[in-house]
Amino acid sequence: MAGRSRLPASTRALAARMDKAVREYRMLRAGDRLLVAVSGGADSMSLLHLLSRRLPVYAPGARLRAVYVDMGFGEGSEERCLIMRAFWRQLGVSGRILRTTIGPLAHSEANHENPCFLCSRIRRKQIFATAELFDCNRIAFGHHKDDLVETLLLNMVFGREISTSPPNLALHGGRYHLLRPMLFAEEELVKAYAADNAIPLFVQECPSDGTSRRQTIKEWLAALEAEHPGSRENIFQSMRRVKPDYLL
């Protein structure tokens, strides 16, 4: 990255962490067709912003696309989509924007499932449909280190399994690879990157925000970290040092 030493510290740090993830998990190859799923939050918007600069380094000749699925919450759908289009134009990225009513449906009496589960499932379906439309073989999500730790604990406490979101997951016989290039980046670093680069952010106005099981885990982790600094990092590193012989 030209003039890298003159960039904000957050930009240098996030780029270094993403470089490590892409290299260590062999996420990208020359000529890949990469789709980035964005939501308007700091994580996915920062991912798209940085990939628009770094992709030629990772994978010469690779093509970058984006997809945004608006969940239909509140009265701000049109404004959210306009912000997203302007951001993509700024980066020189093309893609697909879908306005839906998934959110209100998931929170209606017609839905007997967990609202977050239904929203996630339908949104994921739209993302895969877009990948097929654009003939993309790689799909990148903005999950960061804190997300992976929270997912591990969510699955243990509520799902009765030891698992998290893998960095490079092959699906459908290798037709698609789900990537998480920011797995080594802390949430606070991602937020700093977004602020330092004046990335436009918005929220979905979801009524479940702040009341989900993930929020419970997030608050528990924050309390644990306050009492025992380094706990979050230790949990993350434990996922890279699994001892199967000492499990049931």
Side-chain angles (χ1 to χ4, degrees), residues 27-45:
M27 293 186 178
L28 295 164
R29 303 171 302 181
D32 273 338
R33 301 168 304 283
L34 176 63
L35 178 69
V36 178
V38 289
S39 66
D43 45 8
S44 61
M45 299 288 266

Side-chain angles (χ1 to χ4, degrees), residues 198-240:
I199 295 175
L201 308 176
F202 56 81
V203 296
Q204 290 285 339
E205 303 179 46
C206 174
S208 291
D209 281 350
T211 63
S212 66
R213 288 176 172 178
R214 181 173 291 273
Q215 182 64 29
T216 299
I217 293 295
K218 186 183 290 286
E219 292 172 2
W220 180 77
L221 273 170
L224 181 66
E225 183 70 24
E227 185 171 354
H228 302 285
S231 298
R232 195 190 310 267
E233 180 66 21
N234 289 342
I235 295 172
F236 178 79
Q237 292 300 333
S238 74
M239 291 187 281
R240 294 158 63 84

Side-chain angles (χ1 to χ4, degrees), residues 1-240:
M1 189 181 293
R4 191 164 181 166
S5 62
R6 297 189 296 273
L7 294 173
S10 63
T11 297
R12 297 196 304 273
L14 187 59
R17 284 162 172 74
M18 195 159 76
D19 290 354
K20 177 184 178 183
V22 171
R23 180 178 63 253
E24 185 169 327
Y25 290 98
R26 301 179 181 179
M27 293 186 178
L28 295 164
R29 303 171 302 181
D32 273 338
R33 301 168 304 283
L34 176 63
L35 178 69
V36 178
V38 289
S39 66
D43 45 8
S44 61
M45 299 288 266
S46 295
L47 174 65
L48 181 63
H49 186 273
L50 190 51
L51 277 172
S52 70
R53 301 178 176 187
R54 299 293 291 164
L55 187 60
V57 177
Y58 300 145
R63 185 180 69 195
L64 179 63
R65 300 272 195 161
V67 58
Y68 168 60
V69 181
D70 190 89
M71 311 305 286
F73 290 116
E75 302 296 327
S77 177
E78 183 175 355
E79 182 180 357
R80 292 192 294 264
C81 292
L82 288 174
I83 292 172
M84 191 65 73
R85 288 192 186 96
F87 181 55
W88 292 1
R89 283 196 301 270
Q90 174 191 334
L91 300 181
V93 174
S94 61
R96 187 186 192 198
I97 291 177
L98 297 168
R99 294 181 64 177
T100 75
T101 58
I102 295 171
L105 172 64
H107 288 80
S108 71
E109 293 183 359
N111 174 37
H112 300 291
E113 300 182 68
N114 180 289
C116 296
F117 174 79
L118 184 61
C119 274
S120 177
R121 187 180 69 186
I122 298 178
R123 178 175 179 266
R124 184 68 62 94
K125 183 177 179 180
Q126 296 286 359
I127 291 170
F128 273 98
T130 302
E132 183 175 2
L133 176 67
F134 291 145
D135 191 29
C136 293
N137 63 329
R138 297 285 196 273
I139 305 173
F141 296 95
H143 301 127
H144 45 65
K145 179 185 288 187
D146 296 76
D147 287 326
L148 269 62
V149 171
E150 291 164 12
T151 299
L152 170 70
L153 295 177
L154 271 169
N155 291 342
M156 291 175 66
V157 175
F158 299 108
R160 297 193 293 181
E161 66 178 37
I162 300 177
S163 65
T164 190
S165 305
N168 185 351
L169 177 64
L171 294 177
H172 303 301
R175 168 68 181 88
Y176 301 107
H177 281 250
L178 303 189
L179 310 178
R180 294 175 172 88
M182 296 203 300
L183 80 147
F184 292 128
E186 301 80 3
E187 182 177 11
E188 287 305 313
L189 173 59
V190 176
K191 289 180 178 179
Y193 178 93
D196 289 341
N197 287 277
I199 295 175
L201 308 176
F202 56 81
V203 296
Q204 290 285 339
E205 303 179 46
C206 174
S208 291
D209 281 350
T211 63
S212 66
R213 288 176 172 178
R214 181 173 291 273
Q215 182 64 29
T216 299
I217 293 295
K218 186 183 290 286
E219 292 172 2
W220 180 77
L221 273 170
L224 181 66
E225 183 70 24
E227 185 171 354
H228 302 285
S231 298
R232 195 190 310 267
E233 180 66 21
N234 289 342
I235 295 172
F236 178 79
Q237 292 300 333
S238 74
M239 291 187 281
R240 294 158 63 84

